[in-house]
């Protein structure tokens, strides 16, 4: 189902969203328009997944992954402002995260189901910042999946052969790298991940040529070394051997369904333990 989500904003931003029903309730004999989409959303039985796509794509590029994920989740896939059919400009880290925070609250107002967040590539930067910001208002999610993540945009750029070639030049940082930070487009996950108070699962392929797996490994160790596992939960890292997955095709990994299943159970058990501690 396609949803337009507009909200009070000086730029009148409208975000395009797909609501993808969990496979459990889908039937070949029921037409799409006959489903009670609002009713499914309000049903706490179905865990919700907020899916945040990568930079070189929009929500339409992950259809194969959705077919896998809907076995576990009720999916809401969003296009950032300026992507796909979403409107708006000023594509900064802060603006995109504020947009996604609105979507989170929009979902929370309509459902008490557990909400998970799955970010791919750029979406991992949005996701870690989003969850860190939600913590400030005592909001939290059940679990976070980071697919092909990075520590920051600047860190990724430093791995580029071209940037490495010019690294000796004194103006490289002042003219290219520092402006990325000043323009608020650095998506500094290495900072925000320390404030993520839920279990995290990191997925990366060794043959990912867009984001080297060494960066994902660095993010993993940052999370592990700056984490209280008692109230923040575990961090799981699945690094896949070269198998043609690259940057976009981790959904082909045969162990992924099992890994998601285990992670969801882990998150639900963690949430249950946290609730019992408060009561």
């Amino acid at each position: 189902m396609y949803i337009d989500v507009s909200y009070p904003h000086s730029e009148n931003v409208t975000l395009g969203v797909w609501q993808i029903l969990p496979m459990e309730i889908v039937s070949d004999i029921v037409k799409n328009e006959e489903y009670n989409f609002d009713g499914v959303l309000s049903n706490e039985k179905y865990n919700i997944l907020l899916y945040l796509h990568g930079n070189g794509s929009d929500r339409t590029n992950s259809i194969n992954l959705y077919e896998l994920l809907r076995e576990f989740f009720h999916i809401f896939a969003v296009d950032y402002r300026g992507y796909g059919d979403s409107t708006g400009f000023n594509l900064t880290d802060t603006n995109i995260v504020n947009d996604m925070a609105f979507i989170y609250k929009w979902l929370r107002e309509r459902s008490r189901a557990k909400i998970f967040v799955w970010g791919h590539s750029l979406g991992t930067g949005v996701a870690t910042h989003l969850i860190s910001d939600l913590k400030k208002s005592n909001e939290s999610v059940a679990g976070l999946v980071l697919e092909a993540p990075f520590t920051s945009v600047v860190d990724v750029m430093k791995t580029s052969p071209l940037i490495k070639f010019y690294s000796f030049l004194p103006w490289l940082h002042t003219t290219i790298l520092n402006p990325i930070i000043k323009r608020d487009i650095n998506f500094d996950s290495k900072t925000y991940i320390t404030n993520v108070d839920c279990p995290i699962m990191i997925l990366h392929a060794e043959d990912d040529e867009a984001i080297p797996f060494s960066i994902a490994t660095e993010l993993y160790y940052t999370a592990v070394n700056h984490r209280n596992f008692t109230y923040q939960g575990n961090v799981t890292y699945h690094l896949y051997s070269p198998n043609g997955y690259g940057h976009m095709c981790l959904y082909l990994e045969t162990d992924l369904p099992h890994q998601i299943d285990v992670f969801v159970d882990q998150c639900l058990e963690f949430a249950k333990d946290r609730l019992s501690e408060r009561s």
Side-chain angles (χ1 to χ4, degrees), residues 209-223:
E209 296 183 356
I211 299 175
F213 72 87
S214 58
I215 291 182
T217 303
E218 181 182 352
L219 185 66
Y220 166 72
Y221 282 115
T222 298

Side-chain angles (χ1 to χ4, degrees), residues 121-135:
S121 192
L122 174 67
T124 65
V126 178
T128 53
H129 189 169
L130 168 65
I131 296 174
S132 177
D133 275 11
L134 290 175
K135 180 179 178 179

Side-chain angles (χ1 to χ4, degrees), residues 44-62:
E44 296 183 27
K45 174 184 176 181
Y46 302 110
N47 297 319
I48 292 171
L49 180 70
L50 176 58
Y51 180 83
L52 307 176
H53 63 75
N55 180 50
S57 61
D58 55 36
R59 70 183 187 273
T60 66
N61 274 32
S62 300

Side-chain angles (χ1 to χ4, degrees), residues 154 157 162-163 166 171-181:
V154 166
M157 290 189 66
L162 183 61
I163 294 295
Y166 288 109
W171 48 260
L172 178 68
H173 282 79
T174 57
T175 61
I176 296 178
L177 300 181
N178 289 346
I180 290 175
I181 299 173

Side-chain angles (χ1 to χ4, degrees), residues 131-132 135 140-144 191-201 222-236 263 266-267 270-271 274 277-278:
I131 296 174
S132 177
K135 180 179 178 179
S140 61
V141 303
L144 170 65
T191 295
Y192 294 118
I193 202 168
T194 61
N195 288 321
V196 173
D197 291 355
C198 68
I200 301 171
M201 181 166 68
T222 298
V224 168
N225 294 331
H226 298 83
R227 193 170 188 81
N228 183 315
F229 291 93
T230 301
Y231 73 83
Q232 290 185 296
N234 292 328
V235 183
T236 306
F263 179 68
Q266 179 189 88
C267 292
F270 176 76
R274 290 291 306 277
E277 290 172 4
R278 297 191 191 103

Side-chain angles (χ1 to χ4, degrees), residues 134-175:
L134 290 175
K135 180 179 178 179
K136 298 174 185 176
S137 54
N138 295 317
E139 296 278 359
S140 61
V141 303
L144 170 65
V145 180
L146 301 176
E147 179 190 0
F150 55 87
T151 48
S152 72
V153 171
V154 166
D155 286 346
V156 174
M157 290 189 66
K158 286 179 180 177
T159 68
S160 164
L162 183 61
I163 294 295
K164 287 182 178 180
F165 180 79
Y166 288 109
S167 61
F168 68 93
L169 296 173
W171 48 260
L172 178 68
H173 282 79
T174 57
T175 61

